[in-house]
Amino acid sequence: MLRRLFNRLVLGIFIVFAVESATFVLMHAVPGGPFYSEKALPEQVRQNIMEKYGLDQPLYAQYLRYLSMTMRFDFGPSLKYRSRSVRDIIASSFPTSLALGGMALLLAVVIGLPLGTIASLYRGRAAGRAADTAAAYGISLPSFIIAIVLIYVVSYLARLLPPALWESPFHVVLPVLSLAIPTSSVIARLVKEGVVENLGRSFLVAARARGAAGMRFVLHVLRPSMASLLGIFGPIIAMLITGSFVVEQVFAIPGLGRYFVLSVMNRDYPLIMGVTVFYCVVLVAANIVSDIFFSFLDPRSREQAL
Amino acid sequence: MVERSSVRPGRSGCAALKRVLNLLAVAAVAACGSACETTPHEQVLRLPIASEPPTLDWNVATDNVSLRVLTQIMEGLTFIDAHGQVRPALAERWVYQPEVPSYIFVLKKGVVWSDGVPLTSAHFVESIKRLLSPETGSQYAYFVFDINGARCFNEGRCPWSQVGVKALDKRTVQFILEKPAVYFPYIVSFMVTYPIRPDVLEARGEKAFEPPFPVVGPYVPLEWRHHYKIVLATNPRYHGRKPFVPRVEMYVVEEPLTALLLFETGDLDMAPLFPLAYRRYRTDPRFRDVTVFRGYYYGFHITQEPVNHVELRRALAMAINREAVAEALRGIATPASSWIPPGMSGYNPRVGLRFDPEEARKWLEKYYKETGRNSVELTIYFNASPENQVVAENVQEQWKKNLNINVNLEMMEWNAYLQMLDENPPAVFRLGWGADFPDPHNFMEIFTSWSGNNHTGWHSSLYDRLIIEASQERDSKRRFELYTRAQPLLLEEDVVIVPLFFSRATYLTNPHFRNLEITPMDILYVKDVVPED
């Protein structure tokens, strides 16, 4: 188990390095630059700025500088938000994305698990078909459509909740729902697949023969079925907690997701590097954690590791 | 339309939800303690800002959102009023000395920063020094290049002692100019020239512009929750009349639809209107609009085929009905023919080519005859935005209908588009210009031979001479004549650009607040806003 963990960590470090290198190459390959604006700058003014931020150095020197910055997780000042460092931007916006994504994940599991279980155990019946339909709609509708529909109906027409901003628990409900609904549908689908796959297995037949029924039987079915779900849990967690650009934009939430997109549009090189590396680290960590859980839930995988 | 009411969750809806939410609210209030103390709504003005201000460091700020915030907390030597006139702000008066040439500004007596430190002329000198210093890397350093030695210092070729900014005494600051620029009092109204406190910069370093920091404007910054909101409160040491609204909250709302919904639910007191919402709200008593000093044009790179023939350029310009373009934009545009916008001195409505499809076809025939061709194919380049797409499709349709010309549309991402304009401008491109200060020089200088903003490849020594002459002409009538001679060179004789429209700021305001209005410079002075009883 420890050896497996060690291997995954080494692989993770390699992945972060590879992603950082690819990001560096791509962001310099994209046309445009951080200081292009509608109002052209005199050449010397542009030169002063390039020198200030070390952008006049050869690309290999800039690349080495970014690598050394990654070690310290200090990417220097943002080129767009000039009074702030990249580390400060991530530190101040990530907690919001983490809170939003964490609540959305929790809600997605609370909705998705029973929905998937119902869809599989009641296959072919009305309840199963209804659960299937709900999951299909949830998957098909992107978060921003759900967000706009929710705002229009719940906030504008019914006046039940505020349409945007991030002030109180009331403000949390709609963005969390917008993020959770599509994810819960993915979870429901995976749970259903897992359960259906396991339903005919001998250990379940044995469990039933031993008298397992109702919730006890459901738990019996769910445990091995969670394996397929855990396979994508890493990316789902990373996706949710690092922020959703669209949901944050629509609800005016100060999360990290907006910076991820805006940094590219602004060609804010240090911010692009910082946010990408951060995102990558979270993704790798989430995958390792879900891997550990996976090995606990599925003894076969534990044996393989040994 | 749904009747407006302030959304306070729990007023309606099912009782169970209400109970749960109330419990959560109690928990939230308990958790946030004194930091969440509320002020009665009529005491707070809640405004949207379209993005996170990139910085509140006024020496390096360049954008409108930073300006929207900085206008409330800082002042310059002068300010621009709602009619585009320059007025005294921190300066009591100024005089022009033609023999040097220079401007001398005398500061108002008794002005202090919000932390009680007296304002002195040295704070202005330090500001210009920091703005021009190559280490600051300020994009708008060129804004004060009219000052003697400023460019040279910014390029690192001269010492600071050669720059023409001097503190003559504690209340007097002198700006020695390279040429007698009559628009200079406008320059010192702009944010990059606001005074600075070197002691604060030194003591606070990178955090110098994180609230709270000392200011001289009507409001002080209390809190800046990045990418979310900025909170301002009245400055008790402000030198002028105390603002009527004691607290201002500016929320970063990037999505116009969200801003509109927040306005409708009473969470914001102002909302910008987008074209789709215009028709619905234009008769609403809360609706406001103003034509701002921002021009939108199609430019020709006159050395590129096929627009290297003036006959074709003239035909193209005369085949566009600007009224139709403005109509397609649903209210956010005022049709243009001249380049200097209405409301600005030098504006002449008679300047510019008019829509005349008959005449346009004649010019196209002349072009065919001269070149021996019988067809034209063009590509319009523009940066991706719904507004630009609408305009390009409308012009494409008009050129096809009026001239039978096939037009392709090429849409590009903004940053890549700007690089292309800079390095390899296409034959036909779109661009705009928003006034930095409300003087025609700011609009007309763009197309001079030395301007980095001239992407047309057009150089006219006569035009250059007229612009220099006008920038130094103190007689307003004579100045108007010079611009009236220069504009036709650009728009009628050589047809370098086709002005299409001037932008209009359309927005909704809470009728509870009087004077909540945007000026043609796209500035909002919150200190003038009055809450009604």
Side-chain angles (χ1 to χ4, degrees):
Chain A
M1 182 64 201
L2 274 176
R3 196 171 147 196
R4 181 181 171 135
L5 188 64
F6 177 76
N7 287 343
R8 293 304 303 263
L9 275 174
V10 172
L11 183 67
I13 291 167
F14 176 74
I15 290 171
V16 172
F17 169 76
V19 166
E20 180 171 19
S21 305
T23 307
F24 184 85
V25 171
L26 287 173
M27 79 183 184
H28 282 283
V30 174
F35 302 111
Y36 280 104
S37 76
E38 192 173 67
K39 296 178 179 180
L41 298 180
E43 193 43 46
Q44 189 59 46
V45 172
R46 184 193 298 275
Q47 194 55 37
N48 289 342
I49 303 171
M50 301 296 268
E51 272 174 33
K52 180 182 165 79
Y53 292 105
L55 298 172
D56 58 330
Q57 293 169 3
L59 280 183
Y60 75 87
Q62 292 185 44
Y63 175 66
L64 291 177
R65 193 159 50 93
Y66 277 124
L67 282 187
S68 103
M69 284 170 150
T70 308
M71 304 292 173
R72 290 171 277 131
F73 203 76
D74 177 8
F75 292 89
S78 154
L79 303 181
K80 172 79 177 174
Y81 307 102
R82 292 186 59 176
S83 312
R84 301 182 68 199
S85 70
V86 170
R87 197 157 56 180
D88 172 44
I89 288 174
I90 294 173
S92 66
S93 57
F94 178 60
T96 306
S97 291
L98 181 67
L100 173 62
M103 285 186 273
L105 183 67
L106 202 68
L107 187 63
V109 172
V110 168
I111 299 172
L113 263 182
L115 202 65
T117 313
I118 292 167
S120 53
L121 295 181
Y122 294 91
R123 263 186 312 163
R125 284 188 265 170
R129 277 201 296 273
D132 267 338
T133 312
Y137 272 110
I139 284 179
S140 320
L141 291 172
S143 284
F144 73 93
I145 297 283
I146 297 172
I148 288 169
V149 171
L150 282 175
I151 292 173
Y152 184 71
V153 176
V154 180
S155 300
Y156 186 69
L157 295 180
R159 305 272 161 150
L160 274 172
L161 290 167
L165 302 182
W166 192 247
E167 300 275 308
S168 71
F170 301 116
H171 293 81
V172 171
V173 180
L174 296 188
V176 165
L177 266 175
S178 307
L179 267 183
I181 289 173
T183 312
S184 68
S185 305
V186 174
I187 292 174
R189 278 287 172 91
L190 287 168
V191 168
K192 185 189 168 186
E193 272 172 30
V195 171
V196 169
E197 196 185 314
N198 285 316
L199 267 180
R201 296 264 172 97
S202 52
F203 69 96
L204 284 179
V205 178
R208 194 163 257 174
R210 284 200 304 273
M215 274 311 288
R216 263 187 72 194
F217 181 72
V218 169
L219 289 174
H220 259 88
V221 180
L222 274 181
R223 190 177 156 174
S225 311
M226 293 299 283
S228 58
L229 184 62
L230 276 175
I232 63 136
F233 235 59
I236 284 184
I237 292 171
M239 186 188 77
L240 285 177
I241 68 171
T242 48
S244 154
F245 172 72
V246 174
V247 168
E248 285 172 12
Q249 170 117 341
V250 169
F251 289 100
I253 296 169
L256 187 60
R258 281 154 124 184
Y259 288 105
F260 199 51
V261 176
L262 291 176
S263 63
V264 178
M265 284 160 71
N266 296 325
R267 308 292 194 275
D268 191 341
Y269 297 147
L271 192 55
I272 295 174
M273 295 298 285
V275 176
T276 309
V277 168
F278 180 74
Y279 186 91
C280 187
V281 169
V282 171
L283 188 64
V284 167
N287 269 325
I288 292 176
V289 171
S290 76
D291 226 42
I292 295 169
F293 275 107
F294 185 79
S295 64
F296 276 115
L297 276 175
D298 190 344
R300 285 169 301 180
S301 118
R302 216 158 37 214
E303 281 155 19
Q304 272 169 16
L306 295 169
Chain B
M1 191 196 309
V2 174
E3 192 187 325
R4 284 190 70 251
S5 70
S6 179
V7 154
R8 293 294 173 259
R11 278 189 187 174
S12 53
C14 77
L17 178 65
K18 192 172 154 181
R19 273 199 299 276
V20 173
L21 293 179
N22 279 339
L23 271 173
L24 287 170
V26 170
V29 170
C32 79
S34 61
C36 299
E37 277 171 15
T38 53
T39 312
H41 188 204
E42 62 273 15
Q43 302 296 311
V44 186
L45 179 67
R46 296 183 174 97
L47 301 173
I49 42 178
S51 66
E52 160 85 345
T55 179
L56 290 184
D57 177 350
W58 45 87
N59 280 150
V60 299
T62 56
D63 63 296
N64 270 2
V65 177
S66 301
L67 179 67
R68 176 71 47 100
V69 181
L70 287 170
T71 316
Q72 321 312 332
I73 60 175
M74 280 301 294
E75 284 183 352
L77 287 165
T78 60
F79 83 101
I80 297 160
D81 70 11
H83 308 291
Q85 298 301 310
V86 66
R87 304 271 179 224
L90 294 172
E92 183 182 86
R93 62 183 190 278
W94 60 88
V95 287
Y96 176 65
Q97 294 187 312
E99 64 276 13
V100 182
S102 75
Y103 277 91
I104 292 178
F105 290 83
V106 180
L107 302 186
K108 281 178 181 163
K109 276 184 196 161
V111 178
V112 293
W113 291 79
S114 54
D115 60 355
V117 172
L119 176 81
T120 68
S121 52
H123 295 147
F124 289 93
V125 176
E126 287 297 332
S127 177
I128 302 294
K129 185 178 179 182
R130 183 165 178 262
L131 169 67
L132 286 170
S133 173
E135 292 80 48
T136 308
S138 176
Q139 293 188 54
Y140 265 178
Y142 70 88
F143 211 75
V144 293
F145 276 1
D146 285 321
I147 298 173
N148 203 29
R151 182 190 285 266
C152 181
F153 175 68
N154 182 248
E155 292 177 356
R157 293 185 287 111
C158 314
W160 170 248
S161 56
Q162 287 187 22
V163 181
V165 186
K166 308 274 179 257
L168 301 181
D169 61 42
K170 283 200 165 183
R171 281 184 55 215
T172 315
V173 58
Q174 182 187 31
F175 297 92
I176 301 165
L177 306 182
E178 284 191 341
K179 56 180 199 267
V182 295
Y183 50 81
F184 193 75
Y186 282 118
I187 299 277
V188 289
S189 74
F190 196 54
M191 59 184 169
V192 293
T193 68
Y194 291 165
I196 57 157
R197 288 271 301 280
D199 57 319
V200 175
L201 292 178
E202 201 178 320
R204 300 192 61 196
E206 284 179 1
K207 300 283 176 193
F209 296 95
E210 286 291 319
F213 55 87
V215 292
V216 287
Y219 288 93
V220 289
L222 281 188
E223 180 195 347
W224 184 4
R225 195 170 160 200
H226 288 286
H227 231 121
Y228 185 61
K229 77 171 169 184
I230 295 175
V231 181
L232 313 176
T234 42
N235 174 3
R237 293 195 167 100
Y238 180 54
H239 66 92
R241 175 184 42 74
K242 198 182 163 199
F244 300 102
V245 179
R247 186 180 163 97
V248 183
E249 294 177 356
M250 296 173 146
Y251 290 90
V252 178
V253 186
E254 286 164 348
E255 202 53 53
L257 178 63
T258 305
L260 182 59
L261 284 162
L262 284 166
F263 176 82
E264 283 292 8
T265 53
D267 294 279
L268 285 178
D269 297 306
M270 190 179 196
L273 269 187
F274 44 96
L276 275 175
Y278 172 75
R279 290 212 170 135
R280 177 171 177 165
Y281 285 97
R282 65 182 165 182
T283 53
D284 192 299
R286 300 168 297 165
F287 175 79
R288 303 275 179 282
D289 78 335
V290 60
T291 300
V292 291
F293 295 145
R294 181 174 179 80
Y296 184 112
Y297 67 92
Y298 272 7
F300 299 118
H301 193 279
I302 64 158
T303 65
Q304 304 249 19
E305 284 277 356
V307 296
N308 52 346
H309 294 269
V310 70
E311 295 81 5
L312 177 62
R313 298 200 297 272
R314 192 165 292 133
L316 292 169
M318 297 181 88
I320 302 174
N321 180 356
R322 273 77 144 200
E323 303 280 346
V325 175
E327 178 63 25
L329 286 169
R330 303 182 185 207
I332 62 160
T334 300
S337 67
S338 72
W339 176 231
I340 296 175
M344 193 180 272
S345 65
Y347 169 67
N348 185 339
R350 289 185 298 280
V351 167
L353 295 172
R354 306 287 139 166
F355 173 57
D356 187 342
E358 278 301 311
E359 196 67 16
R361 279 191 283 275
K362 282 182 194 164
W363 282 107
L364 184 67
E365 285 308 316
K366 274 189 194 167
Y367 164 74
Y368 284 152
K369 212 168 165 181
E370 196 175 287
T371 58
R373 293 177 186 162
N374 56 12
S375 70
V376 174
E377 186 154 334
L378 281 174
T379 302
I380 300 174
Y381 283 80
F382 59 98
N383 59 295
S385 88
E387 176 193 285
N388 295 338
Q389 175 99 27
V390 166
V391 174
E393 284 171 0
N394 189 282
V395 172
Q396 179 190 40
E397 196 185 311
Q398 293 201 51
W399 280 349
K400 178 70 186 169
K401 184 180 158 198
N402 298 327
L403 299 174
N404 195 28
I405 283 178
N406 291 322
V407 179
N408 305 309
L409 304 183
E410 188 70 41
M411 185 162 69
M412 292 175 74
E413 188 265 346
W414 177 230
N415 218 297
Y417 181 72
L418 288 173
Q419 187 180 18
M420 181 193 65
L421 281 184
D422 203 39
E423 293 169 3
N424 185 25
V428 185
F429 60 90
R430 90 97 217 163
L431 211 53
W433 185 264
D436 298 308
F437 53 92
D439 187 274
H441 181 76
N442 190 236
F443 267 68
M444 297 296 281
E445 196 200 15
I446 301 168
F447 300 104
T448 54
S449 57
W450 61 82
S451 168
N453 292 297
N454 182 354
H455 304 291
T456 64
W458 179 69
H459 303 299
S460 160
S461 51
L462 175 57
Y463 182 86
D464 289 354
R465 211 174 60 238
L466 289 168
I467 299 309
I468 292 172
E469 214 178 308
S471 74
Q472 301 176 5
E473 178 57 61
R474 308 195 76 79
D475 181 87
S476 56
K477 197 176 162 203
R478 171 89 185 113
R479 207 164 175 237
F480 175 83
E481 282 166 10
L482 288 168
Y483 285 128
T484 302
R485 276 177 68 198
Q487 279 204 87
L489 294 177
L490 180 74
L491 308 174
E492 296 170 20
E493 282 183 34
D494 290 343
V495 201
V496 185
I497 62 163
V498 185
L500 293 179
F501 60 86
F502 300 108
S503 300
R504 277 161 77 183
T506 54
Y507 54 100
L508 299 171
T509 62
N510 182 348
H512 175 71
F513 293 100
R514 195 154 42 86
N515 296 343
L516 186 50
E517 282 166 11
I518 290 171
T519 71
M521 278 296 292
D522 204 11
I523 293 175
L524 172 69
Y525 292 112
V526 176
K527 67 173 181 177
D528 296 330
V529 175
V530 186
E532 303 273 30
D533 292 330

